[in-house]
């Protein structure tokens, strides 16, 4: 393992400290317990959005704290969900009396810790709603698994729900926007190599030079299928077919096409993938109405990418286009 | 014969020792079918538990000590195992109430409540390839031993043996809960790290009881 770190046990604290120092205009960092909040929070009358999860997915989640997206983010240890304490502390710090929405990726640890935090926050008199993100189509049979994982689609859910909160929607209305966005969103990813958790010191799985892993999640866990390396166009077709089939996309529909890098893949490759995905969607009569390309939901230095589609209606498009000012996403300001 | 607060503290100490000794192996099991941090997470939790135990009043009941373990694990471990194991200790400690002397029946009640707590949170069943595959056989064996009139130490030994067998029994299973469930058939052949750590924790309880019996 070769990494630009000091002590592996200081990785999250030092990274969060650096994040706070670099972006003091947008965020305030709390230590012990660790969370990152929007510097303007709490905003009177506004529903607050709190998300979080294991570290190692940067810029998710702290990178999306700011106007039009999250009110606070709670980074846990690398690839491990935060405990309830910092989630409750973040909730208290951003609640403006209008309630707090938790946006939680559907991973067992995230779900259990946010569930416990919601119980504790409710006991403090704060109204909490939780929306689970489960956009990953790679997990097929949800009856016999923990259910679909939340992956890159989390960014889309945080964006539209954040915009709904910013325009003054009630807690239930913001939660409904988040649920509707999640229901309209599907993703699937591929890995060429795994990331290395600093504590573990070695990659979470190894692939031969001529192998790729299809259907990976974002915690270094292997996917569903290991196949020989193919040209990127063929891999894109594989991912896109799974996503469009699951979404039941029909000709004439509009989508957001989001090509997400997993942390170790350069933009040049992501744009090659985007080009193919856009062509293939066009060939199906699907209009690529909005786009996002970049590494937004990563898995340390994993090489690979995921493709996310969100079926857009007029309201979701308007919310996607609404102003946002965060470290990782800025528009219209 | 009964077990008291001395046993509880010895159990917690032994658990912290075992976790320190086995955390690398536990993380390696987790690396095969999960994300490889189970041992690190438990090490963080039980290191914190050991530190907090020093502040516990000398006359604290077994229930109070185990409740401290529960809250410390919930607030330091994270992931899935923090809430799950934390709830096990929390429900188990509640079942003990203010008792200062634990007989065989009290230990069965403790183990049963702990197991039920894990089921409540994680909604897993036997055969899902989770820590329940260690806890449920442990509870059944403890209950059977107690019904036969076994001593508290023998009840815990029966539970520990059954938990070890249960942990081993997860190897051929396809996981249906937790992160390993994403692997489908590829989880087969790997032992569930949560079942393994639960089995180590229950074995530490039996070892501590043997130690307590010999000393007394």
């Amino acid at each position: 393992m070769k990494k630009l770190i000091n002590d592996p046990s200081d990785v999250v604290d030092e990274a969060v400290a650096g994040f706070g120092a670099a972006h003091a205009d947008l965020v305030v960092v709390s230590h012990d317990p660790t969370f990152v909040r929007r510097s303007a929070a709490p905003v009177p009358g506004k529903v607050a959005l709190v998300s979080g999860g294991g570290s190692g997915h940067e810029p998710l989640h702290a990178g999306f704290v700011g106007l039009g997206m999250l009110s606070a983010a709670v980074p846990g240890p690398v690839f491990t969900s935060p405990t309830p304490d910092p989630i409750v502390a973040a909730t208290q710090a951003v609640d403006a009396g209008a309630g707090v929405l938790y946006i939680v990726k559907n991973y067992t640890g995230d779900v259990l810790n946010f569930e416990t935090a919601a119980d504790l926050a409710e006991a403090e008199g704060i109204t909490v709603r939780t929306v689970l993100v489960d956009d990953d189509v790679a997990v097929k049979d949800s009856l016999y698994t923990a259910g679909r994982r939340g992956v890159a689609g989390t960014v889309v859910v945080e964006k539209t729900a954040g915009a709904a909160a910013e325009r003054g929607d009630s807690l239930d209305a913001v939660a409904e926007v988040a649920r509707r966005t999640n229901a309209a969103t599907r993703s699937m990813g591929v890995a060429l190599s795994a990331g290395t958790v600093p504590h573990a010191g070695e990659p979470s799985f190894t692939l031969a030079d001529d192998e790729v892993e299809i259907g990976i999640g974002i915690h270094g866990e292997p996917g569903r299928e290991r196949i020989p390396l193919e040209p990127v166009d063929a891999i894109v077709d594989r991912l896109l077919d799974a996503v469009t089939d699951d979404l039941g996309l029909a000709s004439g529909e509009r989508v957001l096409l989001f090509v997400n890098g997993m942390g170790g893949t350069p933009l040049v490759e992501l744009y090659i993938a985007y080009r193919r995905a856009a062509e293939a969607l066009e060939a199906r009569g699907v209009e690529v109405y909005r786009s996002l390309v970049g590494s937004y939901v990563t898995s340390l230095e994993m090489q690979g990418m995921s493709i996310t589609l969100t079926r857009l209606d007029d309201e979701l498009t308007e919310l996607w286009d609404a102003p946002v000012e965060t470290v990782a996403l800025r528009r219209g300001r | 014969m009964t077990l008291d607060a001395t046993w509880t503290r010895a159990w917690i100490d032994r658990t912290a020792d075992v976790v320190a000794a086995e955390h690398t192996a536990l993380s390696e099991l987790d690396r095969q079918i999960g994300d490889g941090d189970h041992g690190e997470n438990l090490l963080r939790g039980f290191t914190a538990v050991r530190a907090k135990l020093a502040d516990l009043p000398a006359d604290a009941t077994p229930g109070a000590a185990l409740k401290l373990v529960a809250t410390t694990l919930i607030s330091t471990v994270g992931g899935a195992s923090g809430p799950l194991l934390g709830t096990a200790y929390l429900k188990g400690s509640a079942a003990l109430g203010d008792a200062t002397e634990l007989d065989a029946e009290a230990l069965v009640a403790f183990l049963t409540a702990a197991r039920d707590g894990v089921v409540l949170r994680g909604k897993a069943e036997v055969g899902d390839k989770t820590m329940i595959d260690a806890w449920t056989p442990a509870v059944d064996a403890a209950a059977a031993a107690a019904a036969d009139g076994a001593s508290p130490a023998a009840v815990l030994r029966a539970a520990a043996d059954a938990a070890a067998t249960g942990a081993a029994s997860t190897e051929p299973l396809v996981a249906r809960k937790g992160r390993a469930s994403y692997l489908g058939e590829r989880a087969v052949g790997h032992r569930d790290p949560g079942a393994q750590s639960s089995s180590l924790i229950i074995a530490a309880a039996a070892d501590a009881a043997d130690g307590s019996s010999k000393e007394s």
Side-chain angles (χ1 to χ4, degrees):
Chain A
M1 177 179 75
K2 208 158 39 166
K3 282 183 185 288
L4 294 172
I5 61 172
N6 297 305
D7 187 321
S9 56
D10 294 334
V11 163
V12 173
D13 285 346
E14 292 180 357
V16 173
F19 183 85
H23 307 296
D25 53 330
L26 291 174
V27 299
V28 173
V29 168
S30 159
H31 298 282
D32 199 21
T34 301
F35 65 90
V36 177
R37 70 166 171 87
R38 179 180 167 183
S39 51
V43 181
K46 189 175 97 65
V47 169
L49 272 69
V50 174
S51 189
S55 292
H57 306 304
E58 291 67 26
L60 194 75
H61 298 83
F64 300 109
V65 171
L67 181 142
M69 276 183 89
L70 298 178
S71 314
V74 190
V78 174
F79 287 179
T80 298
S81 66
T83 61
D85 301 8
I87 302 172
V88 172
T91 305
Q92 289 170 325
V94 298
D95 175 50
V100 179
L101 179 69
Y102 288 173
I103 296 177
V104 181
K105 298 186 302 311
N106 189 31
Y107 275 97
T108 307
D110 290 310
V111 172
L112 291 180
N113 285 284
F114 273 91
E115 203 172 85
T116 306
D119 289 347
L120 295 169
E122 293 271 1
E124 301 285 319
I126 300 173
T127 309
V128 174
R129 298 277 181 278
T130 298
V131 172
L132 293 183
V133 181
D134 60 351
D135 54 316
D136 183 5
V137 304
V139 180
K140 283 203 163 56
D141 194 350
S142 62
L143 273 180
Y144 297 105
T145 69
R148 289 180 160 168
R149 297 173 287 214
V151 288
T154 309
V155 172
V156 188
V157 174
E158 290 177 357
K159 175 67 184 78
T160 57
E166 207 67 57
R167 76 182 175 187
D169 283 14
S170 69
L171 177 58
D172 285 332
V174 174
E176 184 50 30
V177 164
R179 276 192 205 98
R180 212 156 64 72
T181 306
N182 178 58
T185 300
R186 300 285 192 283
S187 301
M188 184 135 147
V190 61
L192 282 59
S193 72
T196 298
V197 178
H199 258 122
E202 54 183 315
S204 46
F205 59 89
T206 39
L207 289 170
D209 273 354
D210 58 352
E211 284 179 334
V212 299
E213 185 92 16
I214 299 281
I216 40 98
I218 55 171
H219 294 87
E221 71 273 34
R224 295 281 290 189
E225 192 187 4
R226 193 165 286 190
I227 62 165
L229 178 65
E230 300 170 338
V232 63
D233 282 6
I235 291 173
V236 167
D237 289 352
R238 226 176 243 281
L239 302 180
L240 199 65
D241 285 351
V243 170
T244 52
D245 288 356
D246 204 278
L247 206 49
L249 264 188
S251 175
E253 292 199 277
R254 291 170 162 177
V255 294
L256 162 73
L257 168 57
F258 171 19
V259 173
N260 177 58
M262 301 307 301
T265 291
L267 267 175
V268 65
E269 295 172 33
L270 300 183
Y271 279 114
I272 294 173
Y274 181 88
R275 161 203 135 275
R276 174 65 171 196
E279 284 172 4
L281 286 166
E282 201 176 313
R284 290 166 184 257
V286 173
E287 183 181 356
V288 178
Y289 202 53
R290 294 291 184 271
S291 63
L292 185 66
V293 181
S295 296
Y296 291 101
V297 180
T298 62
S299 187
L300 296 170
E301 73 277 34
M302 174 185 274
Q303 285 182 295
M305 57 145 182
S306 59
I307 291 180
T308 298
L309 293 182
T310 299
R311 174 186 274 123
L312 290 175
D313 56 25
D314 288 347
E315 191 196 18
L316 291 186
T317 306
E318 181 191 318
L319 293 169
W320 176 258
D321 288 345
V324 58
E325 187 171 21
T326 66
V327 170
L329 207 57
R330 289 183 201 229
R331 187 184 312 137
R333 290 272 297 178
Chain B
M1 201 180 95
T2 55
L3 296 172
D4 58 14
T6 312
W7 164 76
T8 314
R9 284 176 189 262
W11 175 26
I12 297 167
D13 262 334
R14 275 176 194 262
T15 305
D17 288 343
V18 168
V19 166
E22 296 291 326
H23 76 277
T24 310
L26 288 170
S27 287
E28 175 54 27
L29 284 181
D30 191 27
R31 204 177 71 84
Q32 291 162 5
I33 57 170
D35 61 351
D37 61 1
H38 185 58
E40 291 303 329
N41 291 343
L42 287 190
L43 183 64
R44 185 168 62 243
F46 278 98
T47 303
V49 165
R50 184 137 49 189
K52 285 208 179 172
L53 206 60
D55 300 334
L56 196 71
D59 60 351
T61 60
L66 294 170
K67 187 179 176 190
L68 183 71
V69 175
T71 53
T72 307
L73 292 182
I74 291 172
S75 65
T76 54
V77 176
S81 47
L84 289 170
L85 270 185
T87 304
Y89 280 100
L90 194 64
K91 300 289 183 186
S93 66
L96 294 180
D98 296 330
T100 52
E101 299 286 330
L102 309 180
D103 58 15
E105 282 69 31
L107 290 170
V108 173
F110 170 83
L111 291 169
T112 305
R115 185 270 315 270
D116 292 351
V118 180
V119 171
L120 177 80
R121 272 256 171 263
K123 300 168 186 73
E125 301 168 4
V126 168
D128 283 350
K129 198 175 181 109
T130 71
M131 54 175 76
I132 289 301
D133 289 317
W135 278 98
T136 290
V139 168
D140 294 345
D148 286 347
S151 70
V155 164
L156 290 174
R157 182 55 62 197
D161 291 347
T165 307
S169 79
T170 62
E171 287 178 15
L173 298 175
V174 171
R176 290 194 294 244
K177 293 283 176 187
R179 219 170 263 178
S181 70
Y182 306 128
L183 288 175
E185 293 288 334
R186 287 202 280 172
V188 170
H190 300 285
R191 183 175 301 204
D192 180 66
Q196 178 67 9
S197 60
S198 290
S199 139
L200 294 175
I201 289 169
I202 297 168
D207 292 345
D210 290 347
S212 297
S213 304
K214 278 170 202 151
E215 284 155 25
S216 62

